[in-house]
Amino acid sequence: TTITLNDDEGDVDTKINCTSGIALIVEGSSGNVGIGTDAPAEKLYVYHDTSAEWTAFFDQNHATGYGVKIDVDSASTHPAFRINSVSTNIFEVRGDGNVGIGTASPDSLLTVNSASGAYLSLRRDEGTIQASEALGSILFTGTENSSDAGTGAAIIAKVSPDQANWVHNSTEGTDLFFQTAGVGSTNCTDKMVILSDGKVGIGTIAP
């Protein structure tokens, strides 16, 4: 291991070399820091080129500790966090809070983009999925004056009650329930159902 300080022949304030190459470098003029590279293009540039190894790992081991925080100065349309695969955008969070999956230009709180058609998968993952258990839910909720206003409506997919166990891509049936909360009510109740055999019930769950 070698350590170089204030290199007069180059734009380097600090450089640490190890047997596998450059471990850390601090450029003199820009103040950019490079780990694994001698040409950091950003304030912090970490480069890694080894198969089946993580480039970075953050380990918070305290029970009440926090993870990683990114602080953006203004609510702008510029990216606050971005994940790319080569030149393809996979995931982006903008300064205004909009989130994009498959796009760098999310035009809503969540925009999912795919050339083959975007879809959303809600999955229950356990050893045995039994009759009448929910496979996934979409909840419509509200918050007023920083207090939970409860759930106003919901769409729930449940295993049909006459099925023993539900297995993906099998013949077990699934029912789709539509729920709403009435005026003055704090709970959602079933208002419409589409059964696995295609029957539709409005005002009843047993058409």
Side-chain angles (χ1 to χ4, degrees):
T1 300
T2 61
I3 301 176
T4 303
L5 302 176
N6 294 322
D7 185 0
D8 293 334
E9 297 181 0
D11 184 24
V12 175
D13 268 356
T14 304
K15 179 165 65 174
I16 300 176
N17 289 338
C18 59
T19 55
S20 60
I22 297 174
L24 183 143
I25 188 171
V26 180
E27 287 187 342
S29 60
S30 66
N32 289 357
V33 177
I35 299 176
T37 177
D38 61 355
E42 310 295 342
K43 285 301 178 184
L44 176 61
Y45 193 112
V46 181
Y47 178 80
H48 190 50
D49 189 16
T50 302
S51 176
E53 290 185 2
W54 296 105
T55 302
F57 183 79
F58 300 90
D59 187 5
Q60 166 55 264
N61 199 36
H62 197 281
T64 59
Y66 300 150
V68 178
K69 179 180 179 180
I70 299 176
D71 190 4
V72 181
D73 189 49
S74 62
S76 70
T77 58
H78 297 293
F81 181 79
R82 176 182 291 175
I83 299 176
N84 281 0
S85 176
V86 190
S87 59
T88 301
N89 183 277
I90 298 177
F91 181 83
E92 176 158 324
V93 180
R94 294 196 322 194
D96 59 5
N98 285 3
V99 176
I101 299 176
T103 177
S105 303
D107 55 7
S108 60
L109 282 179
L110 176 62
T111 302
V112 182
N113 180 69
S114 173
S116 58
Y119 66 92
L120 177 65
S121 177
L122 303 179
R123 177 179 300 177
R124 184 179 187 130
D125 186 7
E126 64 173 325
T128 301
I129 303 176
Q130 300 179 357
S132 299
E133 289 188 330
L135 297 177
S137 305
I138 300 176
L139 305 181
F140 302 88
T141 66
T143 302
E144 184 177 12
N145 296 327
S146 300
S147 62
D148 188 3
T151 301
I155 302 174
I156 306 173
K158 295 182 180 180
V159 179
S160 298
D162 56 348
Q163 304 298 319
N165 296 318
W166 192 93
V167 182
H168 181 59
N169 288 333
S170 67
T171 58
E172 281 76 7
T174 304
D175 303 329
L176 193 61
F177 291 83
F178 296 81
Q179 300 181 343
T180 59
V183 177
S185 174
T186 59
N187 297 315
C188 286
T189 56
D190 297 322
K191 299 301 192 300
M192 186 176 81
V193 63
I194 303 176
L195 299 181
S196 59
D197 60 5
K199 293 180 181 177
V200 178
I202 300 177
T204 176
I205 59 173

